[in-house]
Amino acid sequence: QVQLQESGGDSVQAGGSLRISCSASESTDRTGCLAWFRQAPGKAYEGVAALRLNDGRQVYDDSVKGRFSISQDNAKNILYLQMNSLRPEDTAMYYCAAAPLMPNSGDPLALTWYLSWGQGTQVTVSS
């Protein structure tokens, strides 16, 4: 399985911006989707943003739509999540994940698709 490692988590004031990264150990040529999930204290894992690699389609959770942007540097095997207008409720451990090729009908924010996971990077947003 591809090895993933997140970085860039930090503490930031509400309204600020932060970009977190996920480095992959190998090419994602055979990966269907790359995604970011998060888990806040006492809450379930939540799909934040996903990037379908075959067509570049981006999918965002409603809670971050318009504020977050997912992108990939193919040459460096790095996945990014640009987070703008951060809110305290964005505070969570953020994980990147990779899923194999999936049917077009598959929900790219569904947890069960993803087989490779990073260890997480903490993002804390203070008011």
Side-chain angles (χ1 to χ4, degrees):
Q1 293 182 337
V2 60
Q3 304 296 120
L4 304 174
Q5 181 63 246
E6 303 91 341
S7 63
D10 205 350
S11 297
V12 62
Q13 292 283 343
S17 298
L18 188 67
R19 187 179 72 168
I20 56 176
S21 304
C22 173
S23 296
S25 62
E26 60 190 66
S27 172
T28 55
D29 288 348
R30 296 188 59 80
T31 298
C33 285
L34 297 170
W36 289 96
F37 292 82
R38 67 186 181 187
Q39 186 181 39
K43 296 184 178 180
Y45 282 84
E46 177 184 34
V48 177
L51 178 65
R52 181 176 291 173
L53 299 185
N54 63 345
D55 58 7
R57 186 169 299 169
Q58 301 171 17
V59 180
Y60 297 95
D61 184 79
D62 287 342
S63 66
V64 305
K65 191 174 183 179
R67 299 188 298 120
F68 290 11
S69 179
I70 188 171
S71 62
Q72 182 191 29
D73 184 333
N74 290 332
K76 298 181 179 180
N77 295 327
I78 300 176
L79 181 73
Y80 297 102
L81 184 67
Q82 177 67 48
M83 300 179 287
N84 299 321
S85 301
L86 282 163
R87 304 165 180 170
E89 55 263 40
D90 295 318
T91 296
M93 185 72 74
Y94 283 73
Y95 302 88
C96 64
L101 296 175
M102 69 177 73
N104 289 335
S105 60
D107 180 5
L109 293 181
L111 186 69
T112 54
W113 288 110
Y114 292 86
L115 303 182
S116 299
W117 292 81
Q119 293 182 318
T121 186
Q122 179 68 39
V123 174
T124 301
V125 184
S126 59
S127 60

